[in-house]
Amino acid sequence: VRDVFVLDETKVRKLDRWDVVMVRNGTDVSHFIDDSQTQAPGWLAGTLKPGTIRVGYVGAIAEWFHTDLLEAVARANPDFDIHLCGAVTAEAPLRLGNLPNVTLHGEIPYGDVPAFHRQMDVLIIPFQLLPIIKACDPVKFYEYSAVMRPTVSTSLPELDRAGDLVFRADDPAAASRLVAALGEADIVIGARFAGGDPYAVGRARREALVLVT
């Protein structure tokens, strides 16, 4: 073997006897930092509830989606307006659509994703820590960061390197507390992880930590 390309940190550690090239995920930052995309897409505008904390997700909704966690959060927080965008390919997440404060939008156009993100107060990555997810470097984190919205995620190992740019929660109580604090504070995390000002990122994150602790 001459060259080895891997996509997650755990593989790098296992293959340390070879020269390994680590290829991480990323995103088209220019698509997401276009601040002119501030209006809600037509399909979304009529579903937004006033006076709520808007919680958003864009991506696949499959067997690794933490349905139990999100359902508990939604039931405990009727003032959260939760919007999930993406094809649902597992049975369990379908029941989320029966909750009064959760909307399943299905797949949305890629061109609408930045405008959707900007309508949300908090963006989430609610994944179960299955083996496939432990090796996942989620593209959505890069997208969320590009639009400078706070991210609440379960404790994905591949997001450890993001440090304090991600708010972590693995149970309903912790997730509820973080989403409520971040949403009510109306903060913007300066987390343009793919090429922003690291000092501005650090300042914004420290201010956020003060607000939620």
Side-chain angles (χ1 to χ4, degrees):
V1 177
R2 290 186 54 193
D3 300 299
V4 179
F5 294 85
V6 298
L7 303 178
D8 72 90
E9 199 74 47
T10 57
K11 297 294 191 301
V12 172
R13 292 193 291 269
K14 291 179 180 178
L15 300 172
D16 59 359
R17 67 180 182 274
W18 286 306
D19 289 330
V20 178
V21 176
M22 180 70 178
V23 181
R24 295 196 180 277
N25 269 328
T27 193
D28 179 3
V29 175
S30 63
H31 179 61
F32 289 89
I33 64 175
D34 180 2
D35 292 332
S36 67
Q37 300 185 53
T38 57
Q39 296 297 314
W43 52 266
L44 176 65
T47 67
L48 297 174
K49 299 179 176 66
T52 59
I53 294 173
R54 297 173 182 173
V55 182
Y57 170 88
V58 178
I61 303 174
E63 65 275 5
W64 57 77
F65 199 82
H66 207 323
T67 300
D68 291 343
L69 173 64
L70 195 56
E71 181 177 20
V73 169
R75 290 186 183 280
N77 299 276
D79 58 329
F80 289 2
D81 184 20
I82 302 173
H83 296 264
L84 308 178
C85 301
V88 181
T89 59
E91 183 176 354
L94 289 172
R95 71 174 188 260
L96 295 172
N98 297 323
L99 300 174
N101 57 338
V102 178
T103 304
L104 297 175
H105 292 282
E107 291 185 314
I108 65 173
Y110 180 66
D112 287 349
V113 174
F116 169 81
H117 285 160
R118 282 185 170 81
Q119 298 302 312
M120 300 295 115
D121 299 307
V122 180
L123 295 166
I124 58 173
I125 308 177
F127 289 173
Q128 299 182 64
L129 297 182
L130 305 178
I132 189 173
I133 293 302
K134 289 181 179 180
C136 172
D137 181 19
V139 172
K140 56 189 57 55
F141 169 64
Y142 299 88
E143 297 174 351
Y144 293 176
S145 297
V147 295
M148 302 179 76
R149 289 296 186 274
T151 298
V152 175
S153 173
T154 48
S155 299
L156 307 186
E158 285 294 309
L159 290 183
D160 285 349
R161 65 193 178 85
D164 286 342
L165 295 181
V166 177
F167 296 86
R168 294 167 180 80
D170 296 303
D171 62 78
S176 297
R177 182 181 68 86
L178 283 173
V179 170
L182 292 165
E184 291 170 0
D186 193 27
I187 64 169
V188 174
I189 297 294
R192 288 184 173 169
F193 192 70
D197 173 1
Y199 299 101
V201 168
R203 286 194 301 273
R205 173 64 196 195
R206 285 193 295 275
E207 291 167 3
L209 284 171
V210 169
L211 290 167
V212 302
T213 55

